[in-house]
Amino acid sequence: MAATSSCNFNWGVNGKGTPEQPCSSSKSSQILFSSNLSFCYSNIRYCLSLRSHQTLLSTRFNETKNSAFVVASAKADPLKIMISGAPASGKGTQCELITKKYGLVHIAAGDLLRAEIASGSENGKRAKEYMEKGQLVPNEIVVMMVKERLLLPDSQENGWLLDGYPRSLLQATALKEFGFQPDLFILLEVNEEILVERVVGRRLDPVTGKIYHLKYSPPETEEIAARLTQRFDDTEEKVKLRLQTHHQNVEAVLLMYEDITLKVNGNVPKEDVFAQIDGALTKLHEDRKLI
């Protein structure tokens, strides 16, 4: 038995099944810093190298005149992150920064709902009625949409960042029953007066889908400014109803993810907000590599 920087198991067996001297691992297998299994049979050397992760990515065969070398390598499970916060708490901005650096698939429950509303579907019509009243959309409308999106190949392979969902304990429980458990639950905390100001000044470009703010992020040209619209749920009256609903439900959701919750100060500039999140994700990512 030999040992390198990770756990290695090397032994040899001849054609009659009796032990021989261990076969040394190749240079390539040692570079993988993984568990190695080597054995000899009928004058042919075989070497199997496995990284101690769960997902098998590739297998490579290199053959020489008297030997065969097999390498199977894998990477760590992708990150699964949830981010929550009141309307206009900065989730969208932080999601852009997170996905840019970590390559996670951004899944926004609000976008899924608005797509249903825009399509004019029956579910969309029902969802709009609840949203106009500042109430949560019933679980049966939302849960299956979120589940199906999380199960798509890109989410499974690259990891996901679930934005604005779950918003109630029932939704969190439904996700858990479907087998979706985050590695980290991020909660953005912002003062209410700041939230109201952010929402009321927010505008949507119907052509590009880009979100502007009349004060903090005005449109680049007069042409863009002329076509901007205000979302029907971005008025002061409706945002206060949404904030009330959010506060009533967030504490219950936190009970589900209490041990993995990161509370972030969202009153500071976006760069400082991301620095708080980035530090936690970097540590989580590095710890995952060591497993």
Side-chain angles (χ1 to χ4, degrees):
M1 182 173 290
T4 63
S5 58
S6 61
C7 183
N8 296 277
F9 301 92
N10 300 317
W11 66 84
V13 180
N14 64 22
K16 298 180 180 180
T18 59
E20 292 183 342
Q21 293 297 320
C23 298
S24 61
S25 300
S26 71
K27 182 177 181 181
S28 297
S29 64
Q30 293 172 355
I31 293 175
L32 289 171
F33 297 103
S34 54
S35 301
N36 300 312
L37 170 64
S38 301
F39 60 93
C40 294
Y41 183 79
S42 299
N43 296 322
I44 300 177
R45 185 180 66 183
Y46 300 87
C47 181
L48 176 64
S49 177
L50 291 172
R51 285 185 180 177
S52 53
H53 301 304
Q54 298 178 0
T55 308
L56 189 63
L57 292 183
S58 62
T59 303
R60 184 178 69 232
F61 296 89
N62 295 318
E63 296 186 7
T64 61
K65 183 176 181 179
N66 294 314
S67 66
F69 178 70
V70 180
V71 176
S73 62
K75 70 176 183 179
D77 285 342
L79 295 177
K80 298 177 286 291
I81 308 298
M82 291 178 179
I83 185 168
S84 182
S89 59
K91 296 191 303 294
T93 298
Q94 295 307 314
C95 285
E96 288 181 9
L97 296 172
I98 293 170
T99 53
K100 181 178 180 180
K101 179 168 183 178
Y102 294 93
L104 306 180
V105 176
H106 179 209
I107 302 172
D111 289 344
L112 294 177
L113 279 171
R114 280 185 283 275
E116 286 290 319
I117 293 173
S119 70
S121 68
E122 188 60 33
N123 278 342
K125 293 177 182 178
R126 293 176 58 200
K128 184 176 181 180
E129 292 178 2
Y130 285 94
M131 292 173 70
E132 286 180 332
K133 297 176 183 177
Q135 299 175 352
L136 289 176
V137 178
N139 288 332
E140 62 267 22
I141 298 177
V142 186
V143 171
M144 295 309 296
M145 286 192 298
V146 174
K147 174 190 174 183
E148 290 171 3
R149 187 64 187 88
L150 290 172
L151 288 174
L152 289 180
D154 60 343
S155 300
Q156 294 291 302
E157 294 170 7
N158 301 318
W160 43 262
L161 174 63
L162 188 53
D163 174 3
Y165 191 93
R167 295 182 180 178
S168 70
L169 182 59
L170 287 176
Q171 292 174 349
T173 301
L175 280 184
K176 184 176 181 180
E177 290 175 350
F178 285 133
F180 299 110
Q181 176 68 17
D183 300 308
L184 188 67
F185 184 87
I186 301 169
L187 177 64
L188 301 179
E189 298 183 314
V190 183
N191 295 336
E192 186 165 320
E193 59 270 20
I194 296 177
L195 293 172
V196 172
E197 182 184 30
R198 289 179 179 177
V199 170
V200 173
R202 192 163 56 185
R203 296 293 185 273
L204 170 68
D205 184 345
V207 175
T208 65
K210 183 177 179 179
I211 300 294
Y212 292 92
H213 192 280
L214 299 181
K215 178 179 179 180
Y216 301 112
S217 179
E220 297 88 350
T221 66
E222 289 295 331
E223 180 184 357
I224 296 176
R227 68 183 185 229
L228 295 183
T229 62
Q230 185 178 38
R231 284 186 350 199
F232 67 86
D233 56 346
D234 276 356
T235 63
E236 182 173 351
E237 179 184 4
K238 288 186 172 63
V239 73
K240 287 184 175 180
L241 287 173
R242 290 159 62 196
L243 289 175
Q244 183 179 1
T245 302
H246 167 76
H247 294 315
Q248 290 173 346
N249 288 278
V250 68
E251 292 300 325
V253 174
L254 290 177
L255 291 177
M256 178 73 74
Y257 306 116
E258 185 176 11
D259 296 336
I260 56 171
T261 294
L262 172 68
K263 293 185 177 181
V264 175
N265 178 11
N267 296 305
V268 297
K270 62 182 180 181
E271 296 82 6
D272 296 332
V273 175
F274 181 65
Q276 300 172 65
I277 298 172
D278 189 33
L281 293 184
T282 297
K283 185 179 185 304
L284 186 62
H285 189 69
E286 292 301 319
D287 289 346
R288 187 68 61 84
K289 285 182 179 180
L290 298 177
I291 298 176

